[in-house]
Amino acid sequence: MRLKDDTKINSIFKAATELTSEVGLDKLTMSSIAKKAKVAAGTLYIYFDSKEQLLNELYMHLLMGGTLSILPSIQHLPLKKQFQVIWSNVLKFRVSNSSEVIFMHQFRYSSYVSAESNKLDEQFISFINNLLDRGKEELIVKDIDNDLIIPMLYGYANTLARQLSLDKVDVTDEIINQTFSICWDAIKS
Amino acid sequence: MRLKDDTKINSIFKAATELTSEVGLDKLTMSSIAKKAKVAAGTLYIYFDSKEQLLNELYMHLLMGGTLSILPSIQHLPLKKQFQVIWSNVLKFRVSNSSEVIFMHQFRYSSYVSAESNKLDEQFISFINNLLDRGKEELIVKDIDNDLIIPMLYGYANTLARQLSLDKVDVTDEIINQTFSICWDAIKS
DNA sequence: TTTATAAATGAATTTATATTCACTTTAATT
DNA sequence: AATTAAAGTGAATATAAATTCATTTATAAA
């Protein structure tokens, strides 16, 4: 008997990601994914139960391979340095993977998103939460509810990366330093 | 002869806005808009050429009635105060008009958005640009490219307002002050 | 009142796209 | 090499939603 071909899932994911960044999530069709991935439309249903499942799997795949894997084991570094490493990684990753970021952004606010996808998202938030709490203990982070701080980091990263990608600016060290100084001044006490 | 009924456009806009916040832009259908607005499906096509036009008109309507009208005539106030007034207005408006904000957010990143809608958007950005430039002249704002600063303000406002709405937190003066201190520390030199 | 004209209706049509399925191909197992 | 079970195909089907249009209704003007 024949076995499933893992590289095929990659082509499917790649096709869906690129198409979304080209035409938008709302114009993304199963046939166009199939065509771009060079498989038959029916094949998509061997690997995924539905369009909804395909998109959720893709989202979780990108979240794990990208944003989450970025959280390095940097527990030993001083807090500010940890934030800086994360900021730099997130920004560089996002700008050099702009199709992925566009897909994630559009998917994140669509009605396709499942409970499971949502849960995975919270892992990243939770990591930042811990970092902020420690910063407050060390008295170097403003004593403001994390729920009021995190949207700044999250919203800024999203919006900035999207803008830099669209403008095809490449992320120099100067840009990283300048934008990080904005972030850090925002949250430091 | 019979005349068009302006209140009908309002019901249509209201229905489309609320439905988007309930089910998402990608599940928004012309029939559901018609049903909720208590008009026949065909009636929508008397007022609008297409779904695309309806959504763009709605977006521009919200942008003008909401975000843009928020920019007050406060030219006489000191710069920091101007930012504070705008921040407070934007936040309060966004949280108390969460359906509108959800619609605008989902529409903004959809493929429906027309060149005209895009252009209107830039008015707001341009106002902030001027404010930042003056801040730099007065040496109270960081000497960093506006394109690196604005995404912070814009992304933070979006993400924060969305979060506050979802959590049904109401915008107290304390929240406004705390979040504004985050913004201001971020951009002040 | 009557007339004329445009608004309003909603069922019918068109169009688009997710999903299925009868069939073909592939490759692991015997 | 033969067997067989699952992958792969793509045209056909089902479904859903945008748009049209023949008809009815409301109202401004005569």
Side-chain angles (χ1 to χ4, degrees):
Chain A
M1 69 159 198
R2 202 169 168 185
L3 293 181
K4 282 189 192 171
D5 176 1
D6 262 11
T7 68
K8 207 149 276 174
I9 292 191
N10 285 334
S11 332
I12 294 170
F13 279 171
K14 188 157 177 260
T17 306
E18 287 174 2
L19 277 169
T20 301
S21 88
E22 286 162 19
V23 302
L25 186 61
D26 51 347
K27 296 260 172 61
L28 182 72
T29 66
M30 291 300 264
S31 342
S32 68
I33 296 172
K35 192 177 173 190
K36 185 150 193 163
K38 290 180 180 149
V39 298
T43 305
L44 299 178
Y45 291 87
I46 291 166
Y47 291 88
F48 306 98
D49 291 344
S50 65
K51 183 181 181 182
E52 181 174 337
Q53 202 216 332
L54 189 161
L55 297 180
N56 275 283
E57 296 280 334
L58 170 54
Y59 181 70
M60 290 189 282
H61 171 79
L62 293 175
L63 210 54
M64 296 212 275
T67 314
L68 289 180
S69 76
I70 269 172
L71 300 179
S73 43
I74 44 172
Q75 313 282 346
H76 59 288
L77 293 174
L79 211 77
K80 181 176 175 183
K81 191 68 193 166
Q82 280 192 51
F83 269 115
Q84 198 171 18
V85 170
I86 293 172
W87 181 255
S88 165
N89 281 348
V90 166
L91 217 59
K92 280 181 181 161
F93 174 81
R94 294 195 147 230
V95 173
S96 58
N97 295 274
S98 59
S99 296
E100 283 83 347
V101 172
I102 290 171
F103 171 82
M104 291 176 82
H105 188 264
Q106 297 205 8
F107 178 82
R108 187 72 194 76
Y109 298 106
S110 79
S111 64
Y112 289 117
V113 56
S114 71
E116 206 189 343
S117 292
N118 248 321
K119 204 171 159 192
L120 202 57
D121 242 15
E122 283 161 20
Q123 282 189 27
F124 185 72
I125 299 292
S126 142
F127 187 97
I128 302 295
N129 248 308
N130 287 336
L131 224 50
L132 288 173
D133 284 343
R134 281 211 282 132
K136 286 178 195 167
E137 279 167 28
E138 296 178 23
L139 300 177
I140 55 184
V141 165
K142 282 193 176 77
D143 186 26
I144 293 181
D145 192 338
N146 289 347
D147 291 347
L148 300 178
I149 298 179
I150 289 175
M152 191 280 294
L153 299 167
Y154 193 81
Y156 188 23
N158 267 331
T159 311
L160 178 62
R162 156 173 284 271
Q163 199 56 49
L164 294 175
S165 295
L166 287 177
D167 299 346
K168 303 197 192 309
V169 171
D170 57 62
V171 185
T172 60
D173 284 345
E174 192 189 8
I175 287 181
I176 289 176
N177 290 336
Q178 288 182 332
T179 55
F180 181 69
S181 83
I182 289 177
C183 284
W184 184 253
D185 290 347
I187 67 175
K188 76 156 188 254
S189 59
Chain B
M1 70 157 195
R2 202 170 169 183
L3 293 181
K4 282 189 193 174
D5 177 1
D6 263 11
T7 68
K8 207 151 277 176
I9 291 191
N10 285 333
S11 332
I12 293 170
F13 279 170
K14 187 157 178 262
T17 307
E18 287 173 1
L19 275 169
T20 301
S21 88
E22 286 163 19
V23 302
L25 186 60
D26 51 346
K27 296 260 171 62
L28 182 73
T29 67
M30 291 300 264
S31 341
S32 68
I33 296 173
K35 193 177 173 190
K36 185 149 193 164
K38 288 180 180 149
V39 298
T43 305
L44 299 179
Y45 291 87
I46 290 165
Y47 291 88
F48 306 98
D49 291 342
S50 64
K51 183 181 181 183
E52 181 174 337
Q53 203 217 332
L54 188 160
L55 297 180
N56 274 284
E57 296 279 335
L58 170 53
Y59 182 70
M60 291 189 281
H61 171 79
L62 292 175
L63 210 54
M64 297 214 274
T67 313
L68 289 180
S69 77
I70 269 172
L71 300 179
S73 43
I74 44 172
Q75 314 283 346
H76 59 287
L77 293 174
L79 211 77
K80 181 177 175 182
K81 190 69 194 165
Q82 281 192 50
F83 268 115
Q84 197 170 20
V85 170
I86 294 172
W87 181 255
S88 165
N89 282 350
V90 167
L91 216 59
K92 279 180 182 160
F93 174 82
R94 295 196 145 230
V95 172
S96 59
N97 295 274
S98 60
S99 296
E100 283 83 348
V101 172
I102 290 170
F103 170 82
M104 291 176 81
H105 187 264
Q106 296 205 9
F107 177 82
R108 186 72 194 76
Y109 297 107
S110 80
S111 64
Y112 290 117
V113 55
S114 71
E116 205 188 346
S117 291
N118 248 320
K119 204 170 159 193
L120 201 57
D121 241 18
E122 283 161 20
Q123 282 190 27
F124 185 73
I125 299 291
S126 138
F127 188 97
I128 302 295
N129 249 308
N130 287 336
L131 225 49
L132 287 173
D133 284 343
R134 281 212 281 130
K136 286 178 194 168
E137 278 167 29
E138 297 178 24
L139 301 176
I140 54 183
V141 165
K142 282 193 176 77
D143 186 27
I144 292 180
D145 192 340
N146 289 348
D147 291 347
L148 299 178
I149 299 179
I150 290 176
M152 191 279 295
L153 299 167
Y154 193 80
Y156 188 22
N158 267 331
T159 312
L160 179 63
R162 158 173 283 270
Q163 199 56 49
L164 295 174
S165 296
L166 286 176
D167 298 347
K168 302 197 190 311
V169 171
D170 57 64
V171 185
T172 60
D173 284 345
E174 191 190 9
I175 287 181
I176 288 176
N177 291 337
Q178 288 183 331
T179 56
F180 180 69
S181 83
I182 288 176
C183 284
W184 185 253
D185 290 346
I187 67 176
K188 76 156 188 255
S189 57

